[in-house]
Amino acid sequence: MTDSGERASRGALEILPGGGVFKPLPPLRGFIPTPRLGFFAAIGVLPLAISFLVPWLRDWVGIYDASLLLLALLDRGSAKRARLEAYRAPKGRLAVGIANPVVIRLRSLVNRAARLTLRDDAPSQFTTSGRTISLSLGPYGRAERSYTVVPPKRGKFRFGDLHVRSRGLLGLVDVEATIPFEADARVYPDMRGAARLLLATAARDLAALGIRRLRRDGEGSEFARLREYVQGDSLRDIDWKATARRTVPVTRVYETERSQNVIICVDSGRTMAARVDQLTKLDYAVNAALFLAFVAIRNCDRVGLAVFADDVKAFLPPAAGRGQYRKIVEALFSAEPSLTFVDYAALFREVSQRSQRRSLVAIFTDLVDDEQAHSMVAPIHRLARRHVPVCITLRDQALENLIRAYPTDVDVAYRQAVANELLDERDGLKALIAREGTQLLDTAPKDLTLAAVNRYLEVKRR
């Protein structure tokens, strides 16, 4: 037996890379008849139906039943001999709206086989698949199984215990125990779709998406590289130490300063609570905002964040680096839609006061509420005097699908007429917003991430 097996047999807890531990199975208890035991018990009952004709059958039925009970008790004893440890944890971070694997690892502590059934207490709000697992574990064996959960929203949830049933060698009786595995789980925005998009894109397209930082030599202050002196280079840029080592003049080359401010504003008002497929509009906006922040930070920009509704719920001043990205993730992790109006004036006042430097201000919002959206027009035009605002809105695809459908009756025709009127009002509002230096990007929720990043890169190039 290996050293790890010896430690396991002594009941030691093994610390795993993910921070979890193997937990021992408590003593198995109970007497749970299996379908096999029920079948054999039914066979013993059948002769009783004719026992009035053959009285001696009753004695044989009594002997059969007593033997079956004895076998069941022996089988229960064999089922109770199972000793094992288990580990349960999500595989990576849980992401909203997608199937996340939850891994269960088992290892036997005894030199005997075991037949097990596992059932995990996932959060009741989650949609689960394959949560009940059956498997066989050999002597001192190890096994790994998984099932999937689909969280409906971001936030904190709680997993419960892991329930284990052990079946005897004859398959007549089950015994069970519960491993205390209660643990908090945090559900984050879904960044996997953006990651798959990047992996599926050709190398030249990655550069176009801004994933690779383009280097431009210039008169900036950030050191880039050394090269041989050429006529016209400034004497103050000569690296005298490198020149002495190489015995030829060597010049320092500096990189042009390209760092800019990007402030990402995410609307968490009532219109963002509407669901599109599995996710809310706010979830789509959060996913796009995170990917936009990732690309901007990779481009060495300083990125800030504002989450707003009837006031500014959270504000992170622009900063650069991975630490800032982690702060943005944590701030958006807990963002929930508020059933309130949106105060755009309060948002833009906060942005103007907290960021004096000219910035690209990306506002993820919705234009469903006509009165609320009109309140954005004047404040965003004032903001455009100092900053570069880009209003990013989500198209209402339900209305567009309704208009494209064939009118089968009068009711459908009336609904289509109302939908046409709403979309006309929306187009007029979009034209009103997109004035005086304000840019507007209106896109379907599924295309929001890529459209927002492409617009950011377009503005940055200009």
Side-chain angles (χ1 to χ4, degrees), residues 351-367:
V351 170
S352 298
Q353 292 170 4
R354 302 286 290 273
S355 180
Q356 301 298 320
R357 181 176 175 178
R358 183 171 175 83
S359 307
L360 169 63
V361 183
I363 306 116
F364 291 90
T365 189
D366 196 16
L367 301 180

mmCIF file of all heavy atoms in Angstrom, residues 351-367:
data_model
loop_
_atom_site.group_PDB
_atom_site.id
_atom_site.type_symbol
_atom_site.label_atom_id
_atom_site.label_comp_id
_atom_site.label_asym_id
_atom_site.label_seq_id
_atom_site.Cartn_x
_atom_site.Cartn_y
_atom_site.Cartn_z
ATOM 1 N N VAL A 351 -19.259 60.547 -11.932
ATOM 2 C CA VAL A 351 -18.150 60.311 -12.861
ATOM 3 C C VAL A 351 -17.338 61.580 -13.052
ATOM 4 O O VAL A 351 -16.101 61.567 -13.041
ATOM 5 C CB VAL A 351 -18.685 59.779 -14.204
ATOM 6 C CG1 VAL A 351 -17.576 59.772 -15.260
ATOM 7 C CG2 VAL A 351 -19.265 58.385 -14.038
ATOM 8 N N SER A 352 -18.016 62.716 -13.230
ATOM 9 C CA SER A 352 -17.317 63.982 -13.458
ATOM 10 C C SER A 352 -16.500 64.398 -12.244
ATOM 11 O O SER A 352 -15.382 64.920 -12.377
ATOM 12 C CB SER A 352 -18.318 65.076 -13.819
ATOM 13 O OG SER A 352 -18.989 64.751 -15.029
ATOM 14 N N GLN A 353 -17.038 64.166 -11.042
ATOM 15 C CA GLN A 353 -16.332 64.568 -9.823
ATOM 16 C C GLN A 353 -15.156 63.644 -9.513
ATOM 17 O O GLN A 353 -14.118 64.101 -9.028
ATOM 18 C CB GLN A 353 -17.303 64.584 -8.647
ATOM 19 C CG GLN A 353 -18.357 65.679 -8.736
ATOM 20 C CD GLN A 353 -19.444 65.521 -7.686
ATOM 21 O OE1 GLN A 353 -19.372 64.618 -6.841
ATOM 22 N NE2 GLN A 353 -20.453 66.375 -7.739
ATOM 23 N N ARG A 354 -15.313 62.340 -9.820
ATOM 24 C CA ARG A 354 -14.290 61.368 -9.423
ATOM 25 C C ARG A 354 -13.214 61.164 -10.497
ATOM 26 O O ARG A 354 -12.193 60.561 -10.212
ATOM 27 C CB ARG A 354 -14.947 60.019 -9.114
ATOM 28 C CG ARG A 354 -16.012 60.064 -8.018
ATOM 29 C CD ARG A 354 -15.382 60.207 -6.639
ATOM 30 N NE ARG A 354 -14.689 59.015 -6.232
ATOM 31 C CZ ARG A 354 -15.255 57.984 -5.601
ATOM 32 N NH1 ARG A 354 -16.552 58.021 -5.320
ATOM 33 N NH2 ARG A 354 -14.547 56.944 -5.240
ATOM 34 N N SER A 355 -13.443 61.621 -11.704
ATOM 35 C CA SER A 355 -12.473 61.432 -12.782
ATOM 36 C C SER A 355 -12.335 62.733 -13.559
ATOM 37 O O SER A 355 -13.163 63.043 -14.425
ATOM 38 C CB SER A 355 -12.913 60.292 -13.708
ATOM 39 O OG SER A 355 -11.978 60.114 -14.745
ATOM 40 N N GLN A 356 -11.297 63.506 -13.233
ATOM 41 C CA GLN A 356 -11.068 64.772 -13.918
ATOM 42 C C GLN A 356 -10.427 64.566 -15.287
ATOM 43 O O GLN A 356 -10.590 65.384 -16.185
ATOM 44 C CB GLN A 356 -10.154 65.668 -13.058
ATOM 45 C CG GLN A 356 -10.721 65.983 -11.690
ATOM 46 C CD GLN A 356 -12.028 66.768 -11.772
ATOM 47 O OE1 GLN A 356 -12.160 67.659 -12.603
ATOM 48 N NE2 GLN A 356 -12.979 66.429 -10.904
ATOM 49 N N ARG A 357 -9.715 63.464 -15.445
ATOM 50 C CA ARG A 357 -9.039 63.196 -16.713
ATOM 51 C C ARG A 357 -10.051 62.709 -17.753
ATOM 52 O O ARG A 357 -10.981 61.976 -17.439
ATOM 53 C CB ARG A 357 -7.961 62.131 -16.500
ATOM 54 C CG ARG A 357 -7.181 61.787 -17.748
ATOM 55 C CD ARG A 357 -6.068 60.804 -17.433
ATOM 56 N NE ARG A 357 -5.389 60.373 -18.636
ATOM 57 C CZ ARG A 357 -4.353 59.545 -18.659
ATOM 58 N NH1 ARG A 357 -3.871 59.087 -17.508
ATOM 59 N NH2 ARG A 357 -3.797 59.188 -19.788
ATOM 60 N N ARG A 358 -9.858 63.129 -19.005
ATOM 61 C CA ARG A 358 -10.751 62.721 -20.081
ATOM 62 C C ARG A 358 -10.767 61.190 -20.172
ATOM 63 O O ARG A 358 -9.732 60.539 -20.227
ATOM 64 C CB ARG A 358 -10.285 63.322 -21.403
ATOM 65 C CG ARG A 358 -11.207 63.023 -22.595
ATOM 66 C CD ARG A 358 -10.767 63.848 -23.793
ATOM 67 N NE ARG A 358 -11.520 63.534 -24.991
ATOM 68 C CZ ARG A 358 -12.708 64.029 -25.294
ATOM 69 N NH1 ARG A 358 -13.286 64.873 -24.449
ATOM 70 N NH2 ARG A 358 -13.316 63.703 -26.416
ATOM 71 N N SER A 359 -11.965 60.608 -20.200
ATOM 72 C CA SER A 359 -12.114 59.153 -20.123
ATOM 73 C C SER A 359 -13.133 58.669 -21.136
ATOM 74 O O SER A 359 -14.046 59.401 -21.546
ATOM 75 C CB SER A 359 -12.569 58.726 -18.723
ATOM 76 O OG SER A 359 -11.737 59.253 -17.713
ATOM 77 N N LEU A 360 -12.970 57.405 -21.512
ATOM 78 C CA LEU A 360 -14.021 56.705 -22.246
ATOM 79 C C LEU A 360 -15.005 56.160 -21.213
ATOM 80 O O LEU A 360 -14.626 55.381 -20.332
ATOM 81 C CB LEU A 360 -13.422 55.558 -23.060
ATOM 82 C CG LEU A 360 -14.416 54.570 -23.664
ATOM 83 C CD1 LEU A 360 -15.323 55.263 -24.672
ATOM 84 C CD2 LEU A 360 -13.696 53.392 -24.308
ATOM 85 N N VAL A 361 -16.257 56.586 -21.291
ATOM 86 C CA VAL A 361 -17.281 56.175 -20.331
ATOM 87 C C VAL A 361 -18.266 55.263 -21.062
ATOM 88 O O VAL A 361 -19.039 55.721 -21.914
ATOM 89 C CB VAL A 361 -18.014 57.385 -19.718
ATOM 90 C CG1 VAL A 361 -19.026 56.914 -18.681
ATOM 91 C CG2 VAL A 361 -17.014 58.353 -19.098
ATOM 92 N N ALA A 362 -18.220 53.965 -20.753
ATOM 93 C CA ALA A 362 -19.107 52.977 -21.379
ATOM 94 C C ALA A 362 -20.284 52.711 -20.448
ATOM 95 O O ALA A 362 -20.086 52.236 -19.324
ATOM 96 C CB ALA A 362 -18.348 51.689 -21.670
ATOM 97 N N ILE A 363 -21.500 53.037 -20.913
ATOM 98 C CA ILE A 363 -22.704 52.905 -20.068
ATOM 99 C C ILE A 363 -23.546 51.759 -20.603
ATOM 100 O O ILE A 363 -24.107 51.843 -21.708
ATOM 101 C CB ILE A 363 -23.535 54.198 -20.053
ATOM 102 C CG1 ILE A 363 -22.659 55.384 -19.652
ATOM 103 C CG2 ILE A 363 -24.717 54.078 -19.115
ATOM 104 C CD1 ILE A 363 -22.503 56.412 -20.737
ATOM 105 N N PHE A 364 -23.641 50.659 -19.833
ATOM 106 C CA PHE A 364 -24.502 49.530 -20.188
ATOM 107 C C PHE A 364 -25.878 49.777 -19.576
ATOM 108 O O PHE A 364 -26.031 49.802 -18.349
ATOM 109 C CB PHE A 364 -23.930 48.218 -19.658
ATOM 110 C CG PHE A 364 -22.670 47.782 -20.342
ATOM 111 C CD1 PHE A 364 -21.422 48.177 -19.872
ATOM 112 C CD2 PHE A 364 -22.721 46.976 -21.474
ATOM 113 C CE1 PHE A 364 -20.255 47.770 -20.509
ATOM 114 C CE2 PHE A 364 -21.558 46.567 -22.108
ATOM 115 C CZ PHE A 364 -20.318 46.967 -21.638
ATOM 116 N N THR A 365 -26.892 49.946 -20.413
ATOM 117 C CA THR A 365 -28.219 50.282 -19.925
ATOM 118 C C THR A 365 -29.274 49.748 -20.883
ATOM 119 O O THR A 365 -28.959 49.023 -21.839
ATOM 120 C CB THR A 365 -28.350 51.804 -19.730
ATOM 121 O OG1 THR A 365 -29.582 52.098 -19.066
ATOM 122 C CG2 THR A 365 -28.285 52.544 -21.053
ATOM 123 N N ASP A 366 -30.537 50.110 -20.634
ATOM 124 C CA ASP A 366 -31.649 49.669 -21.466
ATOM 125 C C ASP A 366 -32.567 50.862 -21.735
ATOM 126 O O ASP A 366 -32.632 51.798 -20.929
ATOM 127 C CB ASP A 366 -32.419 48.548 -20.761
ATOM 128 C CG ASP A 366 -33.319 47.786 -21.711
ATOM 129 O OD1 ASP A 366 -33.129 47.912 -22.942
ATOM 130 O OD2 ASP A 366 -34.214 47.065 -21.242
ATOM 131 N N LEU A 367 -33.278 50.817 -22.867
ATOM 132 C CA LEU A 367 -34.135 51.940 -23.258
ATOM 133 C C LEU A 367 -35.604 51.541 -23.306
ATOM 134 O O LEU A 367 -36.388 52.133 -24.044
ATOM 135 C CB LEU A 367 -33.703 52.472 -24.630
ATOM 136 C CG LEU A 367 -32.264 52.971 -24.749
ATOM 137 C CD1 LEU A 367 -31.994 53.456 -26.165
ATOM 138 C CD2 LEU A 367 -31.977 54.073 -23.752
#
